[in-house]
Amino acid sequence: NTVIATLSDVGIWAVMGNNSVLGGIKPTALSVQASGDTNSSASGTGTYFVHNLNYVMPGNYMVANKALRISAHWRVTGGSGPPNLHFQLRAGSTVLAQHDPGAGPTSVTNNQFGLQWMMQALGAPSGTTNCEITAFGNSNGVGGATTSNVTDMPVALATNGPLTLQVATQWDSVGTGTNTLTLSQFVVEPIN
């Protein structure tokens, strides 16, 4: 493709094919998935449930300072006595972020909320590349501390091989009434 750069009143535009954006090339999503599975407190109490939507990041993709945005959008139903709810972002079995928000929402049906993480490699691909993960969230009534990551940073990852990014959730107990958490969407986007 031919790159054409012009100066406008608002800055420099770069044009490549149909992608144009202020200051350069528009990033495209690496993975956009929908219709994930459901973790019910009636059957998934006390252990982490690994949800079925995931993205396999190719080896050597996370070069120094490379950053990704990872988003998980949820639907939650809470009964009259919902148990505590916990979230994890994982790369395979390695926990990148863990959130312990407390009790789920009371007496709601299909309440929507989202969690989002920024992941950045601090070095070149290797068997032990340090990465930092920052969390953002819209808890929408699902506990007040969903953005508090209790995982120590940085996290060492084998970025020279493929890594499966995925989310896992856990209910502490069955609780009272119907308590379910459905992974609606899982999106992975490059930042740079």
Side-chain angles (χ1 to χ4, degrees), residues 12-159:
I12 296 175
W13 289 79
V15 179
M16 291 187 70
N18 292 327
N19 286 340
S20 64
V21 69
L22 181 64
I25 301 168
K26 178 175 73 174
T28 57
L30 299 173
S31 178
V32 178
Q33 299 174 57
S35 302
D37 52 10
T38 300
N39 182 7
S40 170
S41 67
S43 58
T45 296
T47 59
Y48 273 95
F49 176 86
V50 179
H51 289 268
N52 64 331
L53 302 183
N54 63 65
Y55 171 68
V56 180
M57 185 170 44
N60 300 313
Y61 181 77
M62 292 299 288
V63 297
N65 298 317
K66 181 73 176 174
L68 298 178
R69 179 174 39 233
I70 304 155
S71 304
H73 303 268
W74 308 89
R75 282 194 325 270
V76 63
T77 295
S80 59
N84 286 341
L85 182 56
H86 308 266
F87 299 87
Q88 288 183 342
L89 173 66
R90 297 178 175 185
S93 62
T94 302
V95 176
L96 304 176
Q98 181 167 324
H99 312 281
D100 299 320
T106 302
S107 302
V108 298
T109 302
N110 290 327
N111 192 343
Q112 293 279 340
F113 73 101
L115 282 172
Q116 193 172 81
W117 301 269
M118 189 76 65
M119 176 180 170
Q120 184 174 29
L122 302 181
S126 74
T128 57
T129 302
N130 282 335
C131 296
E132 289 191 344
I133 296 84
T134 303
F136 308 91
N138 169 20
S139 62
N140 199 19
V142 184
T146 56
T147 58
S148 177
N149 182 3
V150 298
T151 305
D152 291 337
M153 292 294 133
V155 176
L157 291 175
T159 58

